[in-house]
mmCIF file of all heavy atoms in Angstrom:
data_model
loop_
_atom_site.group_PDB
_atom_site.id
_atom_site.type_symbol
_atom_site.label_atom_id
_atom_site.label_comp_id
_atom_site.label_asym_id
_atom_site.label_seq_id
_atom_site.Cartn_x
_atom_site.Cartn_y
_atom_site.Cartn_z
ATOM 1 N N GLN A 212 4.668 16.884 1.867
ATOM 2 C CA GLN A 212 4.078 17.894 2.759
ATOM 3 C C GLN A 212 4.643 19.297 2.558
ATOM 4 O O GLN A 212 4.310 20.204 3.311
ATOM 5 C CB GLN A 212 4.298 17.492 4.223
ATOM 6 C CG GLN A 212 3.631 16.187 4.616
ATOM 7 C CD GLN A 212 4.582 14.997 4.532
ATOM 8 O OE1 GLN A 212 5.667 15.105 3.958
ATOM 9 N NE2 GLN A 212 4.176 13.867 5.085
ATOM 10 N N HIS A 213 5.509 19.453 1.564
ATOM 11 C CA HIS A 213 6.249 20.706 1.416
ATOM 12 C C HIS A 213 5.717 21.546 0.252
ATOM 13 O O HIS A 213 5.310 21.002 -0.767
ATOM 14 C CB HIS A 213 7.730 20.418 1.176
ATOM 15 C CG HIS A 213 8.342 19.505 2.183
ATOM 16 N ND1 HIS A 213 8.659 19.914 3.454
ATOM 17 C CD2 HIS A 213 8.673 18.192 2.110
ATOM 18 C CE1 HIS A 213 9.162 18.885 4.135
ATOM 19 N NE2 HIS A 213 9.176 17.840 3.336
ATOM 20 N N PHE A 214 5.752 22.868 0.423
ATOM 21 C CA PHE A 214 5.488 23.749 -0.712
ATOM 22 C C PHE A 214 6.502 24.885 -0.724
ATOM 23 O O PHE A 214 7.088 25.232 0.308
ATOM 24 C CB PHE A 214 4.062 24.327 -0.673
ATOM 25 C CG PHE A 214 3.871 25.487 0.263
ATOM 26 C CD1 PHE A 214 4.143 26.791 -0.142
ATOM 27 C CD2 PHE A 214 3.403 25.287 1.568
ATOM 28 C CE1 PHE A 214 3.970 27.860 0.718
ATOM 29 C CE2 PHE A 214 3.222 26.359 2.434
ATOM 30 C CZ PHE A 214 3.511 27.650 2.004
ATOM 31 N N ALA A 215 6.709 25.443 -1.911
ATOM 32 C CA ALA A 215 7.527 26.642 -2.071
ATOM 33 C C ALA A 215 6.833 27.554 -3.075
ATOM 34 O O ALA A 215 6.271 27.076 -4.059
ATOM 35 C CB ALA A 215 8.931 26.301 -2.544
ATOM 36 N N CYS A 216 6.850 28.842 -2.801
ATOM 37 C CA CYS A 216 6.376 29.849 -3.740
ATOM 38 C C CYS A 216 7.595 30.622 -4.235
ATOM 39 O O CYS A 216 8.385 31.117 -3.424
ATOM 40 C CB CYS A 216 5.391 30.797 -3.081
ATOM 41 S SG CYS A 216 3.853 29.999 -2.542
ATOM 42 N N VAL A 217 7.741 30.708 -5.547
ATOM 43 C CA VAL A 217 8.860 31.418 -6.163
ATOM 44 C C VAL A 217 8.272 32.520 -7.036
ATOM 45 O O VAL A 217 7.315 32.270 -7.783
ATOM 46 C CB VAL A 217 9.718 30.462 -7.017
ATOM 47 C CG1 VAL A 217 10.910 31.207 -7.624
ATOM 48 C CG2 VAL A 217 10.199 29.269 -6.189
ATOM 49 N N TRP A 218 8.835 33.732 -6.952
ATOM 50 C CA TRP A 218 8.241 34.803 -7.739
ATOM 51 C C TRP A 218 9.244 35.867 -8.128
ATOM 52 O O TRP A 218 10.304 36.004 -7.536
ATOM 53 C CB TRP A 218 7.070 35.440 -6.983
ATOM 54 C CG TRP A 218 7.421 36.326 -5.833
ATOM 55 C CD1 TRP A 218 7.546 37.698 -5.863
ATOM 56 C CD2 TRP A 218 7.702 35.941 -4.479
ATOM 57 N NE1 TRP A 218 7.871 38.175 -4.614
ATOM 58 C CE2 TRP A 218 7.962 37.118 -3.746
ATOM 59 C CE3 TRP A 218 7.750 34.708 -3.808
ATOM 60 C CZ2 TRP A 218 8.283 37.097 -2.383
ATOM 61 C CZ3 TRP A 218 8.058 34.682 -2.460
ATOM 62 C CH2 TRP A 218 8.322 35.871 -1.771
ATOM 63 N N SER A 219 8.859 36.616 -9.172
ATOM 64 C CA SER A 219 9.622 37.764 -9.649
ATOM 65 C C SER A 219 8.632 38.732 -10.278
ATOM 66 O O SER A 219 7.922 38.380 -11.219
ATOM 67 C CB SER A 219 10.664 37.322 -10.691
ATOM 68 O OG SER A 219 11.446 38.414 -11.129
ATOM 69 N N GLY A 220 8.536 39.950 -9.729
ATOM 70 C CA GLY A 220 7.590 40.924 -10.261
ATOM 71 C C GLY A 220 6.363 41.083 -9.398
ATOM 72 O O GLY A 220 6.397 40.863 -8.191
ATOM 73 N N ASP A 221 5.237 41.467 -10.029
ATOM 74 C CA ASP A 221 4.040 41.813 -9.268
ATOM 75 C C ASP A 221 2.865 40.862 -9.472
ATOM 76 O O ASP A 221 1.747 41.168 -9.027
ATOM 77 C CB ASP A 221 3.605 43.254 -9.580
ATOM 78 C CG ASP A 221 3.232 43.464 -11.043
ATOM 79 O OD1 ASP A 221 3.449 42.550 -11.861
ATOM 80 O OD2 ASP A 221 2.728 44.557 -11.373
ATOM 81 N N SER A 222 3.073 39.737 -10.149
ATOM 82 C CA SER A 222 2.055 38.687 -10.065
ATOM 83 C C SER A 222 2.107 38.134 -8.639
ATOM 84 O O SER A 222 3.125 38.265 -7.959
ATOM 85 C CB SER A 222 2.322 37.590 -11.093
ATOM 86 O OG SER A 222 2.116 38.088 -12.404
ATOM 87 N N ARG A 223 1.011 37.526 -8.188
ATOM 88 C CA ARG A 223 0.924 37.183 -6.762
ATOM 89 C C ARG A 223 0.471 35.744 -6.517
ATOM 90 O O ARG A 223 -0.180 35.131 -7.359
ATOM 91 C CB ARG A 223 -0.075 38.115 -6.064
ATOM 92 C CG ARG A 223 0.358 39.552 -5.982
ATOM 93 C CD ARG A 223 -0.696 40.412 -5.300
ATOM 94 N NE ARG A 223 -0.278 41.812 -5.188
ATOM 95 C CZ ARG A 223 -1.033 42.777 -4.696
ATOM 96 N NH1 ARG A 223 -2.256 42.493 -4.247
ATOM 97 N NH2 ARG A 223 -0.591 44.011 -4.634
ATOM 98 N N ILE A 224 0.803 35.262 -5.314
ATOM 99 C CA ILE A 224 0.245 34.023 -4.778
ATOM 100 C C ILE A 224 -0.394 34.348 -3.434
ATOM 101 O O ILE A 224 0.207 35.026 -2.590
ATOM 102 C CB ILE A 224 1.309 32.925 -4.601
ATOM 103 C CG1 ILE A 224 1.938 32.565 -5.951
ATOM 104 C CG2 ILE A 224 0.691 31.677 -3.956
ATOM 105 C CD1 ILE A 224 3.009 31.485 -5.862
ATOM 106 N N TYR A 225 -1.615 33.871 -3.255
ATOM 107 C CA TYR A 225 -2.338 33.990 -1.992
ATOM 108 C C TYR A 225 -2.597 32.594 -1.433
ATOM 109 O O TYR A 225 -2.622 31.613 -2.183
ATOM 110 C CB TYR A 225 -3.692 34.670 -2.203
ATOM 111 C CG TYR A 225 -3.640 36.129 -2.589
ATOM 112 C CD1 TYR A 225 -3.526 36.507 -3.922
ATOM 113 C CD2 TYR A 225 -3.763 37.127 -1.627
ATOM 114 C CE1 TYR A 225 -3.526 37.848 -4.288
ATOM 115 C CE2 TYR A 225 -3.760 38.475 -1.987
ATOM 116 C CZ TYR A 225 -3.633 38.826 -3.317
ATOM 117 O OH TYR A 225 -3.635 40.149 -3.673
ATOM 118 N N LEU A 226 -2.830 32.530 -0.133
ATOM 119 C CA LEU A 226 -3.172 31.273 0.524
ATOM 120 C C LEU A 226 -4.376 31.476 1.435
ATOM 121 O O LEU A 226 -4.363 32.358 2.304
ATOM 122 C CB LEU A 226 -1.982 30.764 1.353
ATOM 123 C CG LEU A 226 -2.244 29.554 2.268
ATOM 124 C CD1 LEU A 226 -2.711 28.331 1.484
ATOM 125 C CD2 LEU A 226 -0.986 29.226 3.090
ATOM 126 N N LEU A 227 -5.410 30.669 1.199
ATOM 127 C CA LEU A 227 -6.562 30.609 2.094
ATOM 128 C C LEU A 227 -6.386 29.382 2.983
ATOM 129 O O LEU A 227 -6.396 28.253 2.494
ATOM 130 C CB LEU A 227 -7.865 30.508 1.296
ATOM 131 C CG LEU A 227 -9.157 30.398 2.117
ATOM 132 C CD1 LEU A 227 -9.400 31.654 2.948
ATOM 133 C CD2 LEU A 227 -10.351 30.121 1.196
ATOM 134 N N ARG A 228 -6.192 29.611 4.280
ATOM 135 C CA ARG A 228 -5.957 28.508 5.232
ATOM 136 C C ARG A 228 -6.774 28.757 6.495
ATOM 137 O O ARG A 228 -6.622 29.794 7.136
ATOM 138 C CB ARG A 228 -4.474 28.382 5.577
ATOM 139 C CG ARG A 228 -4.180 27.407 6.712
ATOM 140 C CD ARG A 228 -2.693 27.258 6.974
ATOM 141 N NE ARG A 228 -2.028 26.498 5.924
ATOM 142 C CZ ARG A 228 -0.707 26.254 5.905
ATOM 143 N NH1 ARG A 228 0.066 26.737 6.860
ATOM 144 N NH2 ARG A 228 -0.176 25.543 4.917
ATOM 145 N N ALA A 229 -7.630 27.818 6.808
ATOM 146 C CA ALA A 229 -8.452 27.904 8.025
ATOM 147 C C ALA A 229 -9.180 29.244 8.128
ATOM 148 O O ALA A 229 -9.244 29.859 9.194
ATOM 149 C CB ALA A 229 -7.583 27.662 9.261
ATOM 150 N N GLY A 230 -9.708 29.691 6.996
ATOM 151 C CA GLY A 230 -10.478 30.925 6.975
ATOM 152 C C GLY A 230 -9.665 32.202 6.878
ATOM 153 O O GLY A 230 -10.230 33.288 6.750
ATOM 154 N N GLN A 231 -8.335 32.106 6.934
ATOM 155 C CA GLN A 231 -7.470 33.281 6.841
ATOM 156 C C GLN A 231 -6.882 33.378 5.435
ATOM 157 O O GLN A 231 -6.292 32.420 4.935
ATOM 158 C CB GLN A 231 -6.336 33.191 7.871
ATOM 159 C CG GLN A 231 -6.817 33.209 9.313
ATOM 160 C CD GLN A 231 -7.503 34.499 9.693
ATOM 161 O OE1 GLN A 231 -6.998 35.586 9.434
ATOM 162 N NE2 GLN A 231 -8.671 34.392 10.321
ATOM 163 N N TYR A 232 -7.038 34.550 4.803
ATOM 164 C CA TYR A 232 -6.548 34.764 3.438
ATOM 165 C C TYR A 232 -5.350 35.691 3.494
ATOM 166 O O TYR A 232 -5.464 36.832 3.951
ATOM 167 C CB TYR A 232 -7.650 35.373 2.579
ATOM 168 C CG TYR A 232 -7.367 35.371 1.101
ATOM 169 C CD1 TYR A 232 -7.167 34.187 0.408
ATOM 170 C CD2 TYR A 232 -7.323 36.563 0.375
ATOM 171 C CE1 TYR A 232 -6.936 34.179 -0.956
ATOM 172 C CE2 TYR A 232 -7.095 36.566 -0.991
ATOM 173 C CZ TYR A 232 -6.903 35.372 -1.649
ATOM 174 O OH TYR A 232 -6.664 35.363 -3.014
ATOM 175 N N THR A 233 -4.189 35.214 3.047
ATOM 176 C CA THR A 233 -2.963 36.000 3.142
ATOM 177 C C THR A 233 -2.231 36.017 1.803
ATOM 178 O O THR A 233 -2.266 35.045 1.042
ATOM 179 C CB THR A 233 -2.007 35.432 4.206
ATOM 180 O OG1 THR A 233 -1.731 34.051 3.922
ATOM 181 C CG2 THR A 233 -2.614 35.534 5.600
ATOM 182 N N GLN A 234 -1.548 37.125 1.546
ATOM 183 C CA GLN A 234 -0.696 37.229 0.369
ATOM 184 C C GLN A 234 0.669 36.661 0.730
ATOM 185 O O GLN A 234 1.350 37.150 1.635
ATOM 186 C CB GLN A 234 -0.575 38.685 -0.080
ATOM 187 C CG GLN A 234 0.252 38.865 -1.343
ATOM 188 C CD GLN A 234 0.353 40.321 -1.764
ATOM 189 O OE1 GLN A 234 -0.533 41.134 -1.453
ATOM 190 N NE2 GLN A 234 1.417 40.672 -2.467
ATOM 191 N N VAL A 235 1.072 35.611 0.024
ATOM 192 C CA VAL A 235 2.350 34.947 0.308
ATOM 193 C C VAL A 235 3.508 35.726 -0.298
ATOM 194 O O VAL A 235 4.566 35.864 0.315
ATOM 195 C CB VAL A 235 2.339 33.502 -0.234
ATOM 196 C CG1 VAL A 235 3.667 32.800 0.056
ATOM 197 C CG2 VAL A 235 1.173 32.709 0.362
#
Side-chain angles (χ1 to χ4, degrees):
Q212 298 96 347
H213 308 285
F214 79 86
C216 295
V217 182
W218 74 95
S219 182
D221 62 352
S222 292
R223 293 179 179 177
I224 299 180
Y225 292 87
L226 172 60
L227 178 64
R228 171 177 287 178
Q231 296 296 312
Y232 192 61
T233 56
Q234 183 180 334
V235 180

